[in-house]
Amino acid sequence: MIVCVKSCGINGLDGFIVSVEADIRKGFPSFDIVGLPDSSVKEAKERVKSASANSELKFPNNNSILVNLAPSGLKKAGPSYDLPIALGILSGSFKLNRRIFETTVFTGELSLDGSIRRVDGILPMVLHAKAQGFSAFVVPYDNRNEAALVKGIDIIPVRNLKECCGYINGAYPIEPYITEPAVLNNFGSEAELDFKDVKGQENVKRAMLIAAAGMHNIIMTGPPGSGKTMMAKRLPAILPDMTFDESIDVTRIYSVAGLIKDKSALIANRPFRSPHHTISNAAMVGGGKFPRPGEVSLAHNGVLFLDEFPEFSRDVLEELRQPLEDSEITISRVNGTMTYPANLMLVGAMNPCPCGYYGYSDRCSCSQNQIIRYKNKISGPLLDRIDIQVEASGIDYSKISDSRPGESSAELKRKVAAAQKIQTERYKNESFRFNSQLTASRIDKYCPLGSRESALIKNAFDKLSLSARSYHKILKIARTIADLEGSENIGLSNLAEALSLRGFDRNRE
């Protein structure tokens, strides 16, 4: 007797349907699982046996049992196949209604007592099942809110194996679970962080406003205590709210990474990721034996903040070049190739020298060679990909003791939203949305210059020995500054301010 139960696996950020085929025959007692299972799937044999016994469900111990996970060419990983394996085996002895297996997908990890634990990747699984035309998806009870974000497919939450078997046979009717995303708690809210608390550093706050308006990457250089980290943490608060589709996109990544909590199933706030400088390559860009999203993908549609920028491994920093250019990261492994989204805003912070006090003759003890080696930890090609490079100075007493609040995050957010609205309208027929995403072929169309502006940029190009990428970055920044002013054309002052925001280019003189 062969029974087929539908389940779902994860390949990158996408789900794929798995047919769990259970063949129970009379013969020498055995229990085998085939179809490229990993060790956690193979261990399902013991979990299924114990869960069945402790749920008072008759397990066919005296039969020959063979479970096949099709398609056999894809690796099956994780404990999410426990529930469908158990149902396939029990359907014979427990007389389950097999017709439901044709229209319903099942997933869940079994505890030894028969309860069903939450699993990772529920959102992409449900999205795929809906796309494949399934009418219902049985999920662990703790995954119910995340699964219910997908409309158009019935979500059936179950707490244990016995309850699931009762639902299949109609003994325990379970109504499809419905939740409204608006009632779910926000994930990682930074609402309490406001730019009005930042004293001084008007030039840096201006640079961050421009960066947010055009989604430009930015790096800040300054001594310790100048407020670099403080300002970086407040940057998400001035970015426009994510749309529902953007939230679903981010939630899908966090779901696969196992970072979703049931009470905050929908990630409504823009991510802010701040990894330590000891992070590995795989943790930064994603990877592992079975590739999973890294920090650059977890920061998708949000901010990736790298404090102490030069202290990161050079190999890790160089890995950022592709995602910064392409807004996605491709990882190739023996088991397959995965592409994860990485449309992020990179924010870096660094000291001007190893001790941090370059320019303070009474405090800096670094030699010129030490300073050069420190700055050379960041390659020129990587710096070229960082649009805005601004210097933060030390804060004097008059600034820090000023009780008057600065411009609030809400006020800055309105300016950013207005500038981005202009960009959305301008690029409505393009494949991109922001000035930072302008390609070289589109810069001439969207960043035309007058004669005076052309003369200024030509002089800067020759004097500073700019690269072609730096030249394009300057024009993109100038376009954003003009958008903040509501100006249709890039003016001389816009271009001059853009040049002032390329600090490392000026230091090449």
Side-chain angles (χ1 to χ4, degrees), residues 132 188 199 201 224 307 333 357 443:
Q132 293 299 307
K199 305 295 184 181
Q201 302 297 9
D307 203 3
R333 295 292 185 270
Y357 293 102
I443 284 180

Side-chain angles (χ1 to χ4, degrees), residues 224-272:
S226 55
K228 302 186 296 294
T229 302
M230 183 181 186
M231 287 183 282
K233 288 182 176 180
R234 284 156 173 75
L235 186 55
I238 68 173
L239 293 174
D241 297 332
M242 287 197 294
T243 64
F244 182 73
D245 287 342
E246 286 176 329
S247 293
I248 288 290
D249 207 21
V250 173
T251 304
R252 192 164 57 107
I253 299 170
Y254 277 69
S255 177
V256 171
L259 298 177
I260 293 291
K261 307 302 180 190
D262 187 59
K263 291 184 178 179
S264 53
L266 180 68
I267 300 180
N269 293 323
R270 294 194 180 273
F272 179 84

Side-chain angles (χ1 to χ4, degrees), residues 209 213 407 410-420 483-484:
L209 171 65
E407 200 168 12
E411 294 169 327
L412 295 174
K413 186 174 183 176
R414 283 193 290 270
K415 294 179 180 179
V416 170
Q420 289 197 0
D483 289 341
L484 281 168

Side-chain angles (χ1 to χ4, degrees), residues 117 179 218-219 284 304 385 408 421 487:
R117 297 176 183 270
T179 187
I218 180 173
I219 186 169
M284 179 64 84
L304 176 64
R385 287 168 169 81
S408 70
K421 184 177 180 181
S487 175

Side-chain angles (χ1 to χ4, degrees), residues 318-481:
E318 292 304 304
E319 293 274 14
L320 296 174
R321 286 162 61 175
Q322 185 223 338
L324 290 181
E325 196 74 17
D326 302 333
S327 297
E328 63 182 21
I329 179 72
T330 300
I331 302 166
S332 298
R333 295 292 185 270
V334 174
N335 296 309
T337 299
M338 315 291 180
T339 298
Y340 297 118
N343 185 19
L344 58 92
M345 195 176 160
L346 177 66
V347 179
M350 61 181 286
N351 295 325
C353 66
C355 77
Y357 293 102
Y358 179 73
Y360 296 81
S361 56
D362 57 330
R363 302 181 71 178
C364 183
S365 58
C366 302
S367 67
Q368 195 62 33
N369 284 337
Q370 286 177 314
I371 295 172
I372 293 173
R373 282 198 301 271
Y374 180 74
K375 291 185 175 180
N376 284 344
K377 290 182 179 180
I378 308 174
S379 69
L382 178 58
L383 281 176
D384 261 356
R385 287 168 169 81
I386 300 176
D387 303 14
I388 297 175
Q389 304 150 358
V390 64
E391 296 181 9
S393 58
I395 303 295
D396 57 33
Y397 178 77
S398 63
K399 293 288 187 183
I400 203 169
S401 61
D402 190 349
S403 60
R404 292 173 298 177
E407 200 168 12
S408 70
S409 291
E411 294 169 327
L412 295 174
K413 186 174 183 176
R414 283 193 290 270
K415 294 179 180 179
V416 170
Q420 289 197 0
K421 184 177 180 181
I422 292 173
Q423 294 168 61
T424 299
E425 180 62 26
R426 180 189 301 130
Y427 305 132
K428 61 183 178 182
N429 296 322
E430 302 285 358
S431 59
F432 51 84
R433 291 178 53 197
F434 304 111
N435 292 329
S436 62
Q437 299 170 324
L438 275 168
T439 59
S441 62
R442 289 290 183 267
I443 284 180
D444 288 341
K445 178 179 180 180
Y446 294 112
C447 302
L449 299 178
S451 57
R452 292 195 304 163
E453 290 77 17
S454 296
L456 176 61
I457 192 66
K458 180 183 183 302
N459 183 51
F461 189 91
D462 295 336
K463 189 175 182 181
L464 302 177
S465 300
L466 299 178
S467 67
R469 183 177 282 113
S470 293
Y471 167 75
H472 290 147
K473 296 288 187 189
I474 291 168
L475 292 181
K476 293 177 190 179
I477 298 168
R479 178 68 272 171
T480 299
I481 296 170

Side-chain angles (χ1 to χ4, degrees), residues 18-19 21 34-37 68-76:
V18 176
S19 296
E21 302 169 336
V34 297
L36 282 184
N68 178 48
L69 307 177
S72 299
L74 287 175
K75 189 76 175 178
K76 318 302 184 306

Side-chain angles (χ1 to χ4, degrees), residues 272-318:
F272 179 84
R273 304 294 298 183
S274 181
H276 192 262
H277 60 76
T278 56
I279 190 172
S280 67
N281 290 39
M284 179 64 84
V285 299
K289 186 177 180 181
F290 301 103
R292 295 176 72 85
E295 291 293 333
V296 295
S297 296
L298 295 173
H300 179 61
N301 286 335
V303 174
L304 176 64
F305 176 50
L306 303 184
D307 203 3
E308 304 297 340
F309 203 60
E311 300 301 330
F312 285 80
S313 162
R314 189 180 180 95
D315 289 342
V316 170
L317 292 180
E318 292 304 304

